[in-house]
Amino acid sequence: MDMEINGHEWWGWNGKTVWFDLQTPRSQDFWIAGVDMATGKETRYHLERDWWGVHFNSSRDDMLFASDGGDPSQVAYAADGMWINLLRVQPNETVTREKLVNMSRHNYVTGRGGVEPNVHITPDRKWIVFTGQFAEGPRHVYAVEIGKANASTKRARQSNRARNHGSSSSRYSSP
């Protein structure tokens, strides 16, 4: 359930930590912030401007977050923010970004007939499900498989690495 408390949009609660979009100050510096309800411990993961999203979602173990991006007119004013993003928590308590779906043809602005993607990570951590409207007409529900996106990215990186090192191994061919 999304709700606003003290000017912050609280968007997730897994029974232990409440996660919310924190901007310090608004439209300048971006964070995924959380408060452990049992201990009061606060956690913050810094986000680059282009990683911000209209909505976020977390996996049940709080190790994956999804962001649905936003167009340049929204609060982050991001130049390259129109992506479904996977954000992975790293051992050094930072997050990394993986661009999963290019949303540049999606209409984000609800006041002008658009729809907010509202990303959700499935309980098995295999899919990100979201709503999209890429042309005039109805919106649809889409899903991107996290593992497939990771495997394709890894194969492409390996292929580039092999080409850059003069290898002719077909084992590293990109999809």
Side-chain angles (χ1 to χ4, degrees):
M1 172 168 76
D2 291 348
M3 62 183 149
E4 189 169 314
I5 300 173
N6 296 330
H8 300 293
E9 183 178 333
W10 298 72
W11 48 265
W13 185 42
N14 62 9
K16 183 179 176 190
T17 303
V18 175
W19 294 102
F20 55 97
D21 169 23
L22 178 64
Q23 300 171 29
T24 59
R26 182 177 166 86
S27 300
Q28 303 268 328
D29 205 9
F30 303 91
W31 307 84
I32 293 174
V35 177
D36 183 303
M37 298 307 289
T39 66
K41 180 185 178 221
E42 295 181 14
T43 302
R44 288 186 183 185
Y45 299 116
H46 191 260
L47 300 177
E48 299 296 323
R49 180 176 298 276
D50 289 339
W51 304 5
W52 178 85
V54 176
H55 297 97
F56 294 85
N57 191 257
S58 60
S59 60
R60 291 181 177 180
D61 65 358
D62 295 333
M63 297 304 291
L64 297 176
F65 293 87
S67 153
D68 60 4
D71 72 23
S73 73
Q74 290 169 315
V75 71
Y77 305 109
D80 187 28
M82 297 176 72
W83 290 88
I84 299 295
N85 298 300
L86 178 66
L87 305 165
R88 290 184 185 273
V89 176
Q90 301 300 303
N92 65 356
E93 298 186 14
T94 63
V95 292
T96 58
R97 174 197 195 193
E98 296 174 37
K99 294 178 180 180
L100 298 182
V101 179
N102 183 336
M103 299 292 285
S104 63
R105 299 185 76 198
H106 172 74
N107 180 6
Y108 280 93
V109 185
T110 56
R112 293 192 303 244
V115 61
E116 296 171 344
N118 288 302
V119 290
H120 296 278
I121 300 172
T122 59
D124 61 7
R125 299 171 32 132
K126 291 184 178 182
W127 298 88
I128 294 178
V129 180
F130 62 97
T131 305
Q133 184 178 22
F134 295 94
E136 289 288 324
R139 63 184 175 194
H140 298 282
V141 175
Y142 297 90
V144 58
E145 189 172 4
I146 294 170
K148 293 274 186 191
N150 294 341
S152 295
T153 301
K154 183 177 179 182
R155 281 194 302 271
R157 281 188 198 135
Q158 289 172 334
S159 176
N160 289 337
R161 207 174 300 130
R163 277 195 294 271
N164 292 339
H165 289 90
S167 172
S168 61
S169 172
S170 61
R171 177 175 88 151
Y172 296 116
S173 62
S174 58

